[in-house]
Amino acid sequence: MPFSIPSDHPCLPGHFPGRPLVPGVVLLEQVIAAVEAAHGPLSGLRLPQVKFLQPLLPEQSAQVELDALGASRWRFRVRRGDDLLASGEVVADLPIAEASA
Protein backbone atom coordinates (compact mmCIF):
# COMPACT_ATOMS: atom_id res chain seq x y z
CA MET A 1 0.00 0.00 0.00
CA PRO A 2 1.67 3.26 -1.09
CA PHE A 3 1.56 6.39 1.06
CA SER A 4 3.23 9.71 1.74
CA ILE A 5 2.97 11.98 4.76
CA PRO A 6 2.14 15.60 3.86
CA SER A 7 4.47 18.34 5.03
CA ASP A 8 1.64 19.92 7.05
CA HIS A 9 0.97 16.77 9.12
CA PRO A 10 0.50 17.86 12.77
CA CYS A 11 3.27 15.56 14.09
CA LEU A 12 6.05 17.18 12.08
CA PRO A 13 6.71 20.56 13.77
CA GLY A 14 8.02 18.85 16.92
CA HIS A 15 9.81 16.00 15.16
CA PHE A 16 12.30 17.71 14.53
CA PRO A 17 12.23 21.52 14.20
CA GLY A 18 14.15 22.65 11.12
CA ARG A 19 14.48 19.11 9.70
CA PRO A 20 11.21 17.24 10.08
CA LEU A 21 11.23 13.45 10.02
CA VAL A 22 8.15 11.25 9.95
CA PRO A 23 7.89 9.64 13.41
CA GLY A 24 7.98 5.86 13.63
CA VAL A 25 4.49 5.77 15.13
CA VAL A 26 3.13 7.40 11.95
CA LEU A 27 4.82 4.70 9.85
CA LEU A 28 3.23 2.07 12.09
CA GLU A 29 -0.19 3.69 11.59
CA GLN A 30 0.31 3.10 7.86
CA VAL A 31 1.25 -0.55 8.51
CA ILE A 32 -1.92 -1.11 10.56
CA ALA A 33 -4.01 0.64 7.88
CA ALA A 34 -2.53 -1.70 5.25
CA VAL A 35 -3.29 -4.81 7.33
CA GLU A 36 -6.87 -3.67 8.00
CA ALA A 37 -7.39 -2.65 4.35
CA ALA A 38 -6.51 -6.20 3.35
CA HIS A 39 -8.22 -8.09 6.21
CA GLY A 40 -10.84 -5.81 7.78
CA PRO A 41 -10.91 -4.30 11.28
CA LEU A 42 -8.88 -6.30 13.80
CA SER A 43 -8.75 -6.38 17.59
CA GLY A 44 -5.90 -6.87 20.02
CA LEU A 45 -3.21 -5.65 17.66
CA ARG A 46 0.38 -6.04 18.82
CA LEU A 47 3.71 -5.26 17.22
CA PRO A 48 6.06 -7.75 18.94
CA GLN A 49 9.00 -6.85 16.73
CA VAL A 50 9.77 -3.57 14.96
CA LYS A 51 13.03 -2.22 13.55
CA PHE A 52 13.44 1.30 12.20
CA LEU A 53 16.37 1.42 9.79
CA GLN A 54 16.16 4.71 7.88
CA PRO A 55 14.09 7.90 8.20
CA LEU A 56 11.22 8.98 5.98
CA LEU A 57 10.94 12.65 5.13
CA PRO A 58 7.64 14.49 4.58
CA GLU A 59 6.27 14.18 1.01
CA GLN A 60 8.47 11.16 0.21
CA SER A 61 6.63 8.17 -1.22
CA ALA A 62 6.81 4.88 0.65
CA GLN A 63 5.18 1.48 0.37
CA VAL A 64 3.95 -1.03 2.97
CA GLU A 65 4.55 -4.66 2.00
CA LEU A 66 2.86 -7.50 3.91
CA ASP A 67 3.48 -11.24 4.09
CA ALA A 68 0.94 -13.43 5.87
CA LEU A 69 2.48 -15.72 8.49
CA GLY A 70 -0.86 -17.25 9.48
CA ALA A 71 -4.48 -16.21 9.93
CA SER A 72 -3.65 -13.36 12.31
CA ARG A 73 0.08 -12.65 11.91
CA TRP A 74 1.91 -10.63 9.25
CA ARG A 75 5.49 -9.65 8.52
CA PHE A 76 5.76 -6.09 7.22
CA ARG A 77 8.31 -3.96 5.43
CA VAL A 78 8.12 -0.23 4.79
CA ARG A 79 10.17 0.74 1.73
CA ARG A 80 11.09 3.94 -0.04
CA GLY A 81 12.01 2.59 -3.45
CA ASP A 82 14.70 -0.03 -2.79
CA ASP A 83 15.50 1.38 0.68
CA LEU A 84 14.14 -0.54 3.68
CA LEU A 85 12.86 1.96 6.26
CA ALA A 86 11.23 -0.34 8.80
CA SER A 87 10.33 -3.99 9.28
CA GLY A 88 8.65 -6.18 11.85
CA GLU A 89 5.56 -8.19 12.69
CA VAL A 90 1.91 -7.45 13.43
CA VAL A 91 -0.22 -9.89 15.42
CA ALA A 92 -4.00 -9.66 15.91
CA ASP A 93 -6.25 -11.54 18.34
CA LEU A 94 -9.29 -11.84 16.06
CA PRO A 95 -11.20 -9.91 13.42
CA ILE A 96 -13.58 -7.53 15.23
CA ALA A 97 -16.66 -9.38 13.87
CA GLU A 98 -15.38 -12.65 15.42
CA ALA A 99 -14.31 -10.99 18.68
CA SER A 100 -17.81 -9.61 19.32
CA ALA A 101 -19.64 -12.85 18.42
Side-chain angles (χ1 to χ4, degrees):
M1 181 169 113
F3 70 95
S4 69
I5 305 303
S7 60
D8 63 350
H9 191 283
C11 73
L12 296 173
H15 203 270
F16 293 92
R19 179 157 162 69
L21 301 175
V22 176
V25 69
V26 175
L27 293 182
L28 296 178
E29 286 176 343
Q30 296 298 316
V31 169
I32 299 303
V35 170
E36 290 189 334
H39 302 284
L42 300 166
S43 68
L45 290 174
R46 299 181 306 281
L47 295 142
Q49 178 186 11
V50 176
K51 292 182 183 178
F52 296 102
L53 304 165
Q54 294 187 40
L56 181 67
L57 301 178
E59 306 295 339
Q60 287 183 330
S61 295
Q63 171 86 20
V64 175
E65 301 172 349
L66 298 172
D67 295 320
L69 301 175
S72 61
R73 189 178 194 106
W74 301 268
R75 178 163 294 137
F76 72 84
R77 289 170 305 285
V78 180
R79 294 188 182 276
R80 179 186 55 234
D82 291 335
D83 295 331
L84 182 61
L85 307 179
S87 64
E89 292 184 12
V90 177
V91 178
D93 288 339
L94 294 170
I96 287 187
E98 290 180 30
S100 62

